[in-house]
Amino acid sequence: QVSIKGYSVYRSDRDKRVGGGCLLYLHDQLLVKEVSEYNDQENNMVCCYIESSHTLIVSIYRPPDSKSSGFSSLLSHLQDTIDRISLLRKPQDARYIHTRRL
């Protein structure tokens, strides 16, 4: 793991496998309200919610040979995380929830 001065690292490592996994480096000035991880021995995800900007930052690792059933479980966990964070927001802010695929 590499340390970067002024940044915190959030990670989800692949257990019992070499390579893969995911991580996020977030500047220390960003106050992370909630962190969610997912690891099913094949797929990994780490999510950080920054309340001040109403932003959920997500890093996902899905190996090329992964099964769709495992990835569906990861997506279900992501949806649960989004739903939980939506409950933290003010009702009038809910209309501003957007997703973007990279």
Side-chain angles (χ1 to χ4, degrees):
Q1 175 179 325
V2 176
S3 303
I4 301 174
K5 186 177 178 179
Y7 287 80
S8 297
V9 65
Y10 302 90
R11 59 192 289 167
S12 177
D13 296 318
R14 293 177 70 191
D15 296 331
K16 302 176 186 173
R17 298 201 56 181
V18 177
C22 55
L23 61 82
L24 296 169
Y25 282 98
L26 299 179
H27 197 276
D28 288 339
Q29 289 183 347
L30 297 173
L31 299 176
V32 176
K33 171 92 174 171
E34 179 172 332
V35 177
S36 176
E37 291 181 49
Y38 179 87
N39 179 351
D40 69 1
Q41 306 302 319
E42 187 172 20
N43 302 286
N44 291 76
M45 176 179 71
V46 62
C47 307
C48 295
Y49 177 61
I50 302 163
E51 187 175 39
S52 62
S53 61
H54 304 293
T55 303
L56 179 65
I57 301 173
V58 181
S59 176
I60 295 174
Y61 177 74
R62 179 185 184 193
D65 62 343
S66 69
K67 298 176 182 80
S68 61
S69 61
F71 194 63
S72 293
S73 295
L74 181 147
L75 293 177
S76 180
H77 182 83
L78 176 57
Q79 185 62 59
D80 291 345
T81 301
I82 292 169
D83 293 344
R84 189 171 55 254
I85 287 170
S86 295
L87 294 174
L88 298 175
R89 299 178 59 142
K90 296 176 186 172
Q92 65 269 23
D93 292 337
R95 65 177 179 231
Y96 296 112
I97 298 173
H98 299 284
T99 57
R100 186 178 84 189
R101 186 175 181 166
L102 301 178

